[in-house]
Amino acid sequence: MTAHVQSKFLVSAQLIVVAAILLIGLSMLVGGIILITLEGSWFFALAGLGLSVSAIFLIMRRPLGAAIYVAVFGITILWSLWEVGLAFWPLFSRLFLIAVWLCCTKI
């Protein structure tokens, strides 16, 4: 592959990852709002908002998007530890997907 083709492929892959982050963020936001109306946790709505805002900044190629994503990840770690402690499988299920996306965004 030429450098130009590789560059186009990389940009396309990055846009796919960012679009997925945006869709996940919006889904979490909507689901979180529904959860709030049922007197549940506010975490999912706030995390969804954070991921959505992060994706918007990443689409605009602003470093703030990566910083917001890392902040959401850090808060998710703290929330997960508070909610389930050090129990491996419950902790794993809360952190795995967001950690994979963190790796995919090449932060």
Side-chain angles (χ1 to χ4, degrees):
M1 269 196 271
T2 67
H4 178 69
V5 172
Q6 287 177 336
S7 176
K8 278 185 105 172
F9 176 76
L10 182 59
V11 168
S12 298
Q14 288 171 341
L15 284 175
I16 290 169
V17 170
V18 171
I21 291 171
L22 181 60
L23 289 174
I24 291 168
L26 291 173
S27 298
M28 285 180 67
L29 178 59
V30 170
I33 290 170
I34 293 169
L35 190 58
I36 291 168
T37 64
L38 299 172
E39 299 180 11
S41 173
W42 283 61
F43 174 78
F44 296 99
L46 296 175
L49 179 64
L51 289 177
S52 299
V53 170
S54 169
I56 291 167
F57 278 110
L58 289 171
I59 289 168
M60 297 175 2
R61 297 186 173 276
R62 301 278 174 103
L64 181 59
I68 293 170
Y69 190 93
V70 170
V72 170
F73 183 60
I75 292 167
T76 300
I77 291 171
L78 295 175
W79 171 76
S80 298
L81 288 169
W82 173 75
E83 187 171 72
V84 300
L86 295 174
F88 178 76
W89 286 114
L91 196 59
F92 180 84
S93 68
R94 285 163 175 78
L95 299 177
F96 179 74
L97 183 62
I98 198 166
V100 168
W101 286 117
L102 181 68
C103 294
C104 288
T105 56
K106 293 176 50 174
I107 296 173

